[in-house]
Amino acid sequence: MAEFINRDDSLNEGRVKINKSIQDAEDAKVTAQDADEKADQALSNSESTQEQLDQVVIEGDSSVEAAQARVDTEGNIHQTLKERLDYEHSSVTSQLAETSKVVNVESFGAIGDGITDDGQALKEAHEYANEHKMKVEYGYDKDYYVGDVSLIPIQTSVNFNNCRIHIDDSFHNTHEVFSVIEDNPIIEVQPSHIATTITTNTRRIPELSGYGEAFVVIENNNKKIYRRRGYGQEHNQTDWFAIDNDGVLLNKTSFNFSSLTSVQVQPISRQFIKLENLHSINSGDTEGSTRILRGFKIKRSKVIIDNFEHGVEQNIPEANPSEGILFIERCCNILISNSLFTPRKHVGDGSYEIRTDLVADLTFFNVNGFTTSPDYWGILGGNRMKDFKVLNSKINRVDSHLGSHNITIENSKIGNGGLTLIGQGDLIVRNTEIHSDNLLSLRTDYGATWEGDIYFDGIKHFPDNEPSLFSWANYLDHDYGYDCYLGKNIVSIKNYELFNEGIPDLPYIFNITLHNESERQHDYLMADRFEFVNVKTHANGFMVAR
């Protein structure tokens, strides 16, 4: 009991007694709280015990242990022990999936000995990974033989772990082995819903808002373009671009459309996926004229391909022409980096390592597929590329059959195949070596046209013979489906050096021929201005035109 303060206590003695009383009160409060907590715990234990006792007799099992086993660690009561085990197994499986997010192909039966056909096991592994949104891993440094399989779907990132995939070209040679695809299907939009007139100045299509980020392909099958001379080929007027959720175009349009007959909207997945650390090898042992497609078809936007190497076991001229180990179409935001490709031996028809069609924002960075030998075809057979960049790379050809829009090449080396292009927009080549006879060859079969500005700066040019800056022909009496251009506002050549020692032929600036044997079908228009600054040769001078 605390002491009372007496009448004759001093002030200090009274202070001591008061403080002692306060301390005693605090100690009592703590003791009371401890008692409450113990009482609550006792009540909880009692209730838990009661729940377990309530389960003592269930379906004839009267053991206390059986009843306790039906109550999980969270106090949830399950009707049977199996129900609790199933519940906790599902929970643990889900947690592990969330934690790892990785599927190993060997868990689905892939052997990786280079002999067993692992194709079906790989397909099942990727199908499972796609369904559960999990990454895929291959066995480190293993050899997977792929024969009787095609269309292995990829929707998630893959680490090939420096394995080698041996692709047998004798199976299913008109279908890709791997198909990199979007999560969502294409949406067909009725052309009549698009009130906006599409022109080269269109920056927004309000009717396409609300689809999220998407890749769009529009078409007018009433107008034919890219009417290839000598081949009888023609194509519907088509444009392609990415849009944001407000219908704002992320790539410029290339054509003016009088009408639309098709509008396709492909929603773009939110996340990038990455395919990395693979050495792919095709057998190359089939002969004939049929084009084969035994590689990866990329039909998904936002894909990074890194540390990818491709070889061919039998790289012979008699082999079937190849559509490429990579065929990239109808997508955008694709990066190929730190990768090595093998130029194909010359065949009667074009044989490629990489093919494209209707692609936007494609970038090569540190890509190697270089040769100066005329015995090899170009690694790139390009069609309809928009905002295409080649950076810090060595490739033997940059080619565009059907027109591309905006091409940039910087700090690179271009081999014997050279630059063979048609298209629109800006063509920019900087700090680059060109190892072909011509600095630029616009494709004669498609009208030798570049409707846009052309810039070359910091160029070292190494021809074999008969060098020219610009070399092609145009047939004015052929209807290509459009007027043809050599530049639009400006063609600029700066800091150009021609290494032509030992070549007796005088180099031409313009080695261009215009043919007109019948009724004229189109105009051939030249840029408003040409400029040549610091242009020099190592032998002879320049002839202006042939």
Side-chain angles (χ1 to χ4, degrees), residues 188-191 217-221 259-264 330:
E188 298 280 352
V189 177
Q190 288 297 321
V217 178
I218 60 175
E219 190 172 310
N220 177 12
N221 63 19
S259 64
L260 297 175
T261 57
S262 174
V263 179
Q264 294 185 327
R330 290 178 174 259

Side-chain angles (χ1 to χ4, degrees), residues 47 87 302 401 404 407:
E47 290 175 344
Y87 169 79
K302 295 184 178 178
H401 289 60
S404 293
I407 294 178

Side-chain angles (χ1 to χ4, degrees), residues 230-411:
Y231 290 83
Q233 300 171 355
E234 62 182 17
H235 300 266
N236 296 335
Q237 185 185 42
T238 304
D239 216 328
W240 66 105
F241 43 82
I243 59 171
D244 67 13
N245 190 52
D246 294 323
V248 174
L249 275 63
L250 305 180
N251 310 99
K252 289 185 176 180
T253 50
S254 301
F255 301 103
N256 298 320
F257 284 79
S258 59
S259 64
L260 297 175
T261 57
S262 174
V263 179
Q264 294 185 327
V265 177
Q266 171 66 75
I268 295 174
S269 302
R270 296 180 62 185
Q271 302 295 326
F272 275 83
I273 66 170
K274 189 174 186 179
L275 314 182
E276 59 184 333
N277 306 321
L278 171 63
H279 184 184
S280 176
I281 306 164
N282 282 77
S283 61
D285 56 354
T286 60
E287 298 183 11
S289 58
T290 302
R291 247 178 217 288
I292 65 170
L293 179 59
R294 290 287 284 167
F296 292 74
K297 180 168 276 192
I298 313 295
K299 297 184 284 188
R300 182 196 196 278
S301 297
K302 295 184 178 178
V303 176
I304 298 170
I305 299 172
D306 184 65
N307 192 26
F308 184 102
E309 182 177 343
H310 180 246
V312 182
E313 289 179 356
Q314 297 187 44
N315 194 0
I316 56 176
E318 298 80 17
N320 289 80
S322 170
E323 288 282 24
I325 185 63
L326 299 179
F327 194 121
I328 309 168
E329 66 172 358
R330 290 178 174 259
C331 57
C332 64
N333 292 317
I334 307 296
L335 170 64
I336 303 174
S337 60
N338 308 311
S339 296
L340 176 63
F341 298 90
T342 301
R344 300 282 186 138
K345 279 287 184 74
H346 229 297
V347 293
D349 202 354
S351 192
Y352 304 98
E353 282 283 85
I354 303 173
R355 290 277 280 167
T356 69
D357 193 22
L358 299 171
V359 178
D361 296 301
L362 168 65
T363 300
F364 290 1
F365 180 83
N366 192 28
V367 170
N368 197 333
F370 183 82
T371 178
T372 59
S373 170
D375 295 335
Y376 295 88
W377 211 269
I379 72 161
L380 174 64
N383 285 311
R384 296 186 283 199
M385 301 176 292
K386 192 168 286 191
D387 298 321
F388 172 48
K389 298 179 180 67
V390 178
L391 309 174
N392 299 84
S393 295
K394 300 175 183 179
I395 58 178
N396 68 329
R397 186 188 190 193
V398 176
D399 178 54
S400 179
H401 289 60
L402 310 186
S404 293
H405 193 124
N406 291 345
I407 294 178
T408 299
I409 302 169
E410 292 185 340
N411 304 312

Side-chain angles (χ1 to χ4, degrees), residues 140-190:
Y140 177 73
D141 200 34
K142 289 203 168 185
D143 289 86
Y144 297 95
Y145 168 75
V146 174
D148 192 12
V149 73
S150 61
L151 301 173
I152 297 173
I154 296 178
Q155 293 176 293
T156 62
S157 292
V158 185
N159 186 351
F160 291 95
N161 268 322
N162 296 316
C163 77
R164 290 160 295 279
I165 294 183
H166 301 265
I167 299 174
D168 191 334
D169 288 337
S170 66
F171 290 93
H172 303 287
N173 56 23
T174 58
H175 295 287
E176 64 269 22
V177 177
F178 295 92
S179 186
V180 184
I181 55 178
E182 285 284 3
D183 298 336
N184 300 303
I186 291 174
I187 300 170
E188 298 280 352
V189 177
Q190 288 297 321

